Amino acid sequence: MARIAHVEILMVDLPPAVTRVDAIQSFVSQETPIVRITDAEGAVGTGYSYTIGTGGPAVISLLERTLAPRLIGREAEEIEGIWRDLLFATHATAVGAITSLALAAVDTALWDLRCRRAGLPLWRMAGGAKESVPLYTTEGGWLHLPAEALAEDAAEMKGRGFAGAKLKIGKPSIAEDRARLARVRDAVGEDFHLMVDANQAFDLAEALRRADMLAETGIHWFEEPMPADDVGAHAVLAARSRVPVAVGESLYSLSQFKDYLTQGAASVVQADVARIGGITPWLKAAHLAEGFSVPVCPHFLMELHVSLVCAVPNAPMLEYIPQLDAITSSRLDIREGRAHPPDAPGLGIEWDWNTIRARIVHGSHHCIGGGETHAAHGHGHRAEV
């Protein structure tokens, strides 16, 4: 073991390679905070999180002013203790997206450091349940695309061996959503999973109406039908819908997942490693879902989630949406529609540091270092680079 000696914080902005539109918004940006943690022996771990275009500077500020100084002098292997202490240090702003995203950047860096020091890939270090996982695609299912484009993309991905495709819904009328789904079903047949995602656009009455229509089309799950903070409405929908209800990308703590599971309000858990606060709580959410015989199919971040879904036994599919292509030299290992986790030690993400440093968002780059004495009080040397 070795104590943390230095923390580097920065952020890059990654515009999506394709236009992404759902029922409530259009994605024009992926702010990506990155944290590099160096221990006293010179080992380095890199972690990250993301926003979809707002809040990134607040995440950086929380990292720079509150979280990173508390890391200096801590034993890097004490990941659970560090996560708990940082959560307590931010208890006035938790539970919430900004705090969870900042915690995730730190926690994923610590897990990367741990795995690198041990010489093990993350998927083995965190459980090693399986060596590959089927993929489903979302990248060709955006709401602005015409039905023919949806059908062509889904058929292509089926031909590549993918297990399914997810389509955005939320057109003004049920009839329009029904027609789009029917066109895709005609193109791919019955032996291909189709999922839908409403991105919290409906109220309970409308979600119930759409669920009846979705059952007719053989939809595999109905994702984020309503605002995520309304557990009771999801419980009603889950009890009455013939289509499984999927939630999780907009939940920010283990306790929120507990509420959904104990009330029978979720049939699929979609914990997002960035939004729940890192690998440490993600694994807890996955194992909690396993106790309820509920699968975990995480949201986004496929480059990191591939290792986590292969670490646990109850993760049947991985979502395909590339995020990091512009700043990495590694790519998801896909063979016959299945994703294979990296075997390299750590997260297995090969960062392109020259590109990253050329794309740093102004004012987001900070280096923090100090000794044990300062760390106890949450202080340390801070300098913008």
Side-chain angles (χ1 to χ4, degrees), residues 31-64:
E31 295 170 317
T32 305
I34 298 173
V35 170
R36 299 185 79 202
I37 296 175
T38 304
D39 70 18
E41 296 178 356
V44 179
T46 303
Y48 68 107
S49 62
Y50 74 98
T51 83
I52 57 171
T54 59
V59 174
I60 294 296
S61 180
L62 186 60
L63 285 164
E64 187 257 337

Side-chain angles (χ1 to χ4, degrees), residues 132-188:
S132 68
V133 63
L135 282 163
Y136 75 89
T137 181
T138 298
E139 195 69 324
W142 302 101
L143 194 63
H144 68 286
L145 296 172
E148 192 60 36
L150 300 180
E152 289 177 0
D153 183 79
E156 178 186 347
M157 301 312 274
K158 180 182 179 181
R160 290 172 56 181
F162 278 47
K166 187 165 71 182
L167 312 172
K168 301 294 184 175
I169 63 170
K171 290 294 187 179
S173 71
I174 290 180
E176 191 171 359
D177 274 342
R178 179 190 289 113
R180 289 161 62 82
L181 295 174
R183 177 66 190 90
V184 178
R185 178 59 76 195
D186 287 344
V188 298

Side-chain angles (χ1 to χ4, degrees), residues 55-100:
V59 174
I60 294 296
S61 180
L62 186 60
L63 285 164
E64 187 257 337
R65 293 176 177 272
T66 302
L67 301 186
R70 287 175 165 81
L71 295 173
I72 305 302
R74 296 293 301 266
E75 285 287 354
E77 276 291 326
E78 296 173 357
I79 296 178
E80 178 75 30
I82 290 172
W83 194 91
R84 279 294 183 195
D85 288 346
L86 295 184
L87 180 66
F88 181 76
T90 56
H91 69 272
T93 62
V95 171
I98 298 300
T99 296
S100 290

Side-chain angles (χ1 to χ4, degrees), residues 7-8 11 22 31 59 90 98 124 159 162 195 206 212 250 278 282 295 303 322 324 338 340 342 346 352:
V7 180
E8 182 182 13
M11 185 171 69
D22 62 33
E31 295 170 317
V59 174
T90 56
I98 298 300
R124 284 202 172 101
F162 278 47
M195 290 72 72
E206 187 62 25
D212 289 339
S250 300
W282 190 96
E303 297 90 348
L324 299 178
R338 299 182 68 91
H340 296 254
D352 179 350

